[in-house]
């Protein structure tokens, strides 16, 4: 079996693929339609359909401000990431950029933390999907459905990157069509224009008629931020996937420029429909077994609203599983190329698939699923909490990396600065302040406190390992020397 050699650190962080294919052994198997749908659907997770009810119950109509604040953070972070990714598309994305801009310890640490986050997500989503499928076909046990879902999507990712792209194209497409239909139908019902609707339509009255726009006070907006922030994780996936397309620079630029309307339409638009169709304190919104979208559809009189939404939620779950496995494996692949993971992770098959990185990621996902069934309130809860704040850590690292990478890009490849962060560096520092404030505010919330403290503890351990590793003679240099001075060659695996 032949495989791609590890590339040196500088090449992995700044080397730009050619116009027709990646230069790192991966293949340009993603088409423009794949990337477009990954970009559009990447920010739509199951948390939007199911978890939004808790935020509405806590903050009332003011949850719109919470979503707008988090959406603003995502737009700014994606703009920064887009600036770096358009200049230097690579499978390691922000981890590779952090490696170059902040130091090897940063690339190692954030790469492994991000990988850890997504393999835990695999377990969460596999279990959620299994619960829905068991409800439809109870003869197959829940663990059986979890196994089936994981095996099918693992096989798709192992086949080729185009298989991942095709699955994600349809998964994301269903989510996009569903939310668009929900906004149109719900919007008509809000103003009493939907024929046959059971909801009389109160216009905008529900935004203020049950205790005001902020029934629990302004502080509830921040509580809402804590509840919705993690439903936005995944926006950055397109910058990793772009490295396996024929024109990564164009794909990243397009995705970065469209993030504003995506957040505005899919998040703010759909939540606006919910809080105008129903009073925020409607019991159906807080019903965890249904969710706010089902409550809204029930109020209109949509038949079998619960089952319709279950199909959409299952699609969102499968999409998240598919993308989670892809993202974790590509981050493991990048870490392997930079000498920060086992060298086997950097090997690709003749189809350009990092097979070992995929299998290594899915094995941990299977173990996490087992923990979820064996010790859901102890071991698995620890995994959840210890990865809970990683999304915010990733965004912080992107901010600090962009502060340094702007100068590096201007010095080395100024013509590649086709996407620019607005009002640099002021908006970058403002974003850092916003994310830091959210992390500090999480310490005032019981669940948030556990997540921040445990995630910080895990991060400290990983950073300590990175610093110790740097001091080990030849540990990293050997991998760098092996690939230095030569471009990786195409694999000849059968």
């Amino acid at each position: 079996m032949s495989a791609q050699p590890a590339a040196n650190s500088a090449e992995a962080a700044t080397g730009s693929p050619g116009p027709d294919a990646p230069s790192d052994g991966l293949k340009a198997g993603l088409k423009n339609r794949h990337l477009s749908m990954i970009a559009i659907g990447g920010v739509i997770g199951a948390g939007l359909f199911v978890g939004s009810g808790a935020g509405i119950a806590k903050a009332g109509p003011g949850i719109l401000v919470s979503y707008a604040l988090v959406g603003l953070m995502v737009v700014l972070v994606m703009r920064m990431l887009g600036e770096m990714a358009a200049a230097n598309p690579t499978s390691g994305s922000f981890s590779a950029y952090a490696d170059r801009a902040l130091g090897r310890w940063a690339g190692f640490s954030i790469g492994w933390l991000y990988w850890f986050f997504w393999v835990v997500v695999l377990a969460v989503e596999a279990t959620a999907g299994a619960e829905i499928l068991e409800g439809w076909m109870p003869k197959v046990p829940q663990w059986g459905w979890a196994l089936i879902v994981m095996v099918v999507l693992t096989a798709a990712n192992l086949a080729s990157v185009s298989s991942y792209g095709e699955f994600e194209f349809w998964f994301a497409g269903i989510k996009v069509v569903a939310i668009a239909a929900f906004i149109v139908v719900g919007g008509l019902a809000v103003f009493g224009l939907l024929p046959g609707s059971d909801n009389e339509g109160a216009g905008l009255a529900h935004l203020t008629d049950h205790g005001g726009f902020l029934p629990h006070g302004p502080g509830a907006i921040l509580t809402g931020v804590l509840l919705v922030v993690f439903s936005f994780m995944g926006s950055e996936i397109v910058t990793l996937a772009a490295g396996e397309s024929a024109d990564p620079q164009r794909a990243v630029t397009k995705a970065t420029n469209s993030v504003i309307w995506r957040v505005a339409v899919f998040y703010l638009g759909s939540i606006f429909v919910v809080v105008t169709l129903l009073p925020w304190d409607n019991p159906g919104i807080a019903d965890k077994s249904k969710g706010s979208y089902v409550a809204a559809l029930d109020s209109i009189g949509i038949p079998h609203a619960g089952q319709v939404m279950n199909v959409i939620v299952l699609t969102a779950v499968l999409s998240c599983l598919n993308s989670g496995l892809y993202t974790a494996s590509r981050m493991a692949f990048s870490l392997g190329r930079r000498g920060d993971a086992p060298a086997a992770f950097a090997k690709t098959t003749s189809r350009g698939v990092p097979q070992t990185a995929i299998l290594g990621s899915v094995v941990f996902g299977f173990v996490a699923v087992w923990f979820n069934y064996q010790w859901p309130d102890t071991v698995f809860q620890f995994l959840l909490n210890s990865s809970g704040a990683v999304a915010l850590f990733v965004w912080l690292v992107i901010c600090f990396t962009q502060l340094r990478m702007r100068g590096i890009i201007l010095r080395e490849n100024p013509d590649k600065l086709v996407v620019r962060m607005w009002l640099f560096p002021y908006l970058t520092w403002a974003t850092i302040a916003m994310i830091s404030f959210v992390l500090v505010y999480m310490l005032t919330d019981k669940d948030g406190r556990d997540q921040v403290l445990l995630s910080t503890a895990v991060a400290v351990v990983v950073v300590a390992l990175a610093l110790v590793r740097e001091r080990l003679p030849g540990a990293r240099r050997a991998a760098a020397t092996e690939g230095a001075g030569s471009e990786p060659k195409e694999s000849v695996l059968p």
Side-chain angles (χ1 to χ4, degrees), residues 186-202:
L188 291 172
V190 165
F191 296 101
L193 301 176
L194 184 67
S197 172
D198 293 345
N199 192 308
E200 295 179 358

Side-chain angles (χ1 to χ4, degrees), residues 9 13 92-116 331-332 334-336 338-342 345 390 394 397 401 458-472 475-476:
S9 177
S93 189
F94 51 84
S95 173
Y97 309 140
D99 189 302
R100 174 74 192 277
L102 305 178
R104 292 175 174 175
W105 66 270
F108 175 97
S109 303
I110 204 62
W112 277 114
L113 286 172
Y114 191 68
W115 178 87
F116 174 58
M331 186 57 72
S334 177
L335 288 165
R338 288 178 277 140
D340 286 334
F345 281 8
V390 166
V394 167
V397 168
T401 300
V458 171
V460 168
V461 171
V462 174
V463 171
L465 286 173
L467 294 175
V468 168
R469 179 178 171 79
E470 276 193 30
R471 285 163 175 74
L472 292 177
R476 178 77 180 259

Side-chain angles (χ1 to χ4, degrees), residues 50-356:
V50 180
S52 56
I56 295 171
K58 286 282 186 180
I63 195 66
L64 289 168
V65 181
S66 303
Y67 272 102
L69 287 173
V70 179
L72 175 62
M73 280 198 298
V74 171
V75 167
L76 295 174
V77 169
M78 278 296 293
R79 188 72 184 182
M80 290 179 244
L81 184 54
E83 175 181 296
M84 297 182 287
N88 297 294
T90 177
S91 60
S93 189
F94 51 84
S95 173
Y97 309 140
D99 189 302
R100 174 74 192 277
L102 305 178
R104 292 175 174 175
W105 66 270
F108 175 97
S109 303
I110 204 62
W112 277 114
L113 286 172
Y114 191 68
W115 178 87
F116 174 58
F117 172 87
W118 279 110
V119 292
V120 172
V121 167
L122 291 181
V124 174
E125 301 297 339
T127 305
E131 288 177 356
I132 295 174
L133 289 166
E134 186 190 30
W136 293 342
M137 288 171 276
K139 289 186 178 181
V140 179
Q142 192 179 114
W143 65 265
W145 281 119
L147 180 65
I148 291 170
V149 165
M150 291 278 277
V151 168
V152 169
L153 293 180
T154 300
N157 275 264
L158 285 172
S160 66
V161 68
S162 60
S163 297
Y164 155 72
E166 202 63 33
F167 268 81
E168 193 56 27
F169 175 80
W170 292 106
F171 287 153
I174 291 171
K175 289 188 291 184
V176 168
V177 170
I179 292 185
F182 176 80
I183 292 173
V184 171
V185 172
L188 291 172
V190 165
F191 296 101
L193 301 176
L194 184 67
S197 172
D198 293 345
N199 192 308
E200 295 179 358
L204 305 181
H206 288 324
L207 293 177
T208 56
D209 63 2
H210 282 244
F213 186 72
L214 296 171
H216 299 306
I221 292 175
L222 294 175
T223 303
V225 165
L226 303 187
L227 292 171
V228 306
V229 66
F230 301 108
S231 64
F232 282 84
M233 193 62 172
S235 308
E236 70 291 331
I237 291 175
V238 70
T239 65
L240 282 81
E244 294 179 76
S245 67
D247 191 354
Q249 188 179 79
R250 177 178 177 274
V252 169
T253 303
K254 185 177 179 181
T256 302
N257 291 335
S258 66
V259 71
I260 296 176
W261 72 260
R262 287 187 277 129
V263 169
V265 172
F266 295 122
Y267 278 85
L268 288 175
S270 60
I271 295 299
F272 177 81
V273 167
V274 172
V275 295
T276 48
L277 268 178
L278 293 170
W280 67 269
D281 53 357
N282 183 286
I285 289 180
D287 187 346
K288 294 181 179 179
S289 65
K290 292 184 176 181
S292 58
Y293 285 69
V294 173
L297 292 174
D298 280 339
S299 78
I300 299 173
I302 301 293
H304 311 295
Q307 288 303 318
V308 170
M309 192 52 61
N310 270 342
V311 172
I312 297 168
V313 170
L314 178 63
T315 302
V317 163
L318 295 176
S319 171
C320 197
L321 251 176
N322 193 39
S323 290
L325 180 54
Y326 171 84
T327 306
S329 65
R330 272 22 177 213
M331 186 57 72
F333 169 80
S334 177
L335 288 165
R337 279 179 54 81
R338 288 178 277 140
D340 286 334
F345 281 8
K347 297 177 180 179
T348 58
T349 68
S350 60
R351 298 181 302 277
V353 174
Q355 180 174 287
T356 306

Side-chain angles (χ1 to χ4, degrees), residues 4-12 104 337-339 476-489:
Q4 310 306 326
N8 61 54
S9 177
E11 178 190 50
R104 292 175 174 175
R337 279 179 54 81
R338 288 178 277 140
R476 178 77 180 259
R477 285 194 298 274
T481 304
E482 180 184 347
S486 64
E487 285 287 318
K489 298 177 182 178

